[in-house]
Amino acid sequence: DVKVTQSSRYLVKRTGEKVFLECVQDMDHENMFWYRQDPGLGLRLIYFSYDVKMKEKGDIPEGYSVSREKKERFSLILESASTNQTSMYLCASSQSGARNTEAFFGQGTRLTVV
Amino acid sequence: QKEVEQNSGPLSVPEGAIASLNCTYSDRGSQSFFWYRQYSGKSPELIMSIYSNGDKEDGRFTAQLNKASQYVSLLIRDSQPSDSATYLCAVPASGGSYIPTFGRGTSLIVHP
């Protein structure tokens, strides 16, 4: 059974803190993604990675960075958390290729910045 | 900018009816199309994939694809209250990156 696991289901952090969200997949997928989801705005891509140590900015990268030191792990870092980063964060992975590129999601991390 | 458009709804149908959800996309080169179901407070779950023009059936779900018109739809037969959720259409980009673009989702309510 395919699995994407996010380190926390709920997090509460203070403004200005550095926040780490971890994601691990066990499917040997090349691609990994971080999205945030807000009511009425849908899923917005923050960053993605197509290989170890490779990363590309998505639609809303400001205030975030990522790290992919191992194929199975993709971390999202909030350098200095702000209240407008309160959101649901979703990690996903997929394999490369023209077919079977469906993304599989982790359970999500609901982050509240106070 | 690749775009995937869905009617946000809510789409309200009675139990036992057919629910029809639609999606249009802008990337003519896209080869794969996916439907996800997302319950409130949960993460999206893949329920259907389709790659070729025509219909693909899986239980009560049927996905329909028309590449010439750039739309993909999802039919849910014999709708149940447990089908009440938001349905997301996803289209991976063509050209090598395969980054999925998601529609904003259609909220489906199945009332008893």
Side-chain angles (χ1 to χ4, degrees), chain B:
Chain B
Q1 181 83 3
K2 314 297 184 191
E3 293 185 349
V4 176
E5 301 286 344
Q6 295 181 255
N7 188 322
S8 62
L11 172 66
S12 182
V13 301
E15 184 174 357
I18 296 175
S20 178
L21 306 164
N22 299 311
C23 170
T24 60
Y25 61 94
S26 63
D27 186 350
R28 283 197 167 274
S30 294
Q31 297 295 315
S32 306
F33 306 87
F34 305 106
W35 283 99
Y36 290 80
R37 178 178 61 203
Q38 186 175 24
Y39 292 114
S40 180
K42 303 293 187 183
S43 61
E45 169 194 17
L46 180 72
I47 56 171
M48 287 289 286
S49 59
I50 188 167
Y51 306 102
S52 304
N53 278 330
D55 295 0
K56 179 183 177 183
E57 188 174 315
D58 183 0
R60 295 187 296 112
F61 298 100
T62 299
Q64 299 175 317
L65 175 61
N66 184 322
K67 289 184 180 180
S69 299
Q70 294 177 247
Y71 84 76
V72 56
S73 62
L74 179 71
L75 301 178
I76 306 175
R77 289 183 302 281
D78 188 25
S79 295
Q80 302 296 310
S82 59
D83 295 326
S84 298
T86 296
Y87 290 80
L88 303 172
C89 173
V91 181
S94 62
S97 73
Y98 306 112
I99 301 168
T101 297
F102 288 84
R104 294 190 179 187
T106 298
S107 174
L108 173 66
I109 300 171
V110 182
H111 52 87

Side-chain angles (χ1 to χ4, degrees), chain A residues 23-87:
Chain A
C23 176
V24 177
Q25 52 99 358
D26 65 359
M27 295 167 282
D28 200 36
H29 283 167
E30 295 84 4
N31 303 322
M32 295 189 75
F33 310 91
W34 276 105
Y35 293 89
R36 65 178 282 178
Q37 188 174 35
D38 302 287
L41 297 179
L43 283 162
R44 292 182 291 167
L45 182 64
I46 304 171
Y47 268 97
F48 73 97
S49 169
Y50 53 90
D51 201 351
V52 175
K53 296 191 186 295
M54 306 304 290
K55 60 187 179 184
E56 295 285 344
K57 293 179 180 179
D59 300 318
I60 51 164
E62 295 79 18
Y64 303 94
S65 62
V66 291
S67 173
R68 193 169 181 197
E69 296 296 320
K70 294 185 177 181
K71 189 175 185 180
E72 67 270 19
R73 187 179 297 270
F74 193 35
S75 302
L76 179 70
I77 303 149
L78 286 66
E79 299 291 343
S80 177
S82 63
T83 54
N84 63 12
Q85 293 179 309
T86 291
S87 186

Side-chain angles (χ1 to χ4, degrees), chain A residues 30-31 94-102, chain B residues 31-32 92-93 96-98:
Chain A
E30 295 84 4
N31 303 322
S94 72
Q95 67 181 39
S96 293
R99 288 287 185 102
N100 301 318
T101 55
E102 58 267 44
Chain B
Q31 297 295 315
S32 306
S97 73
Y98 306 112

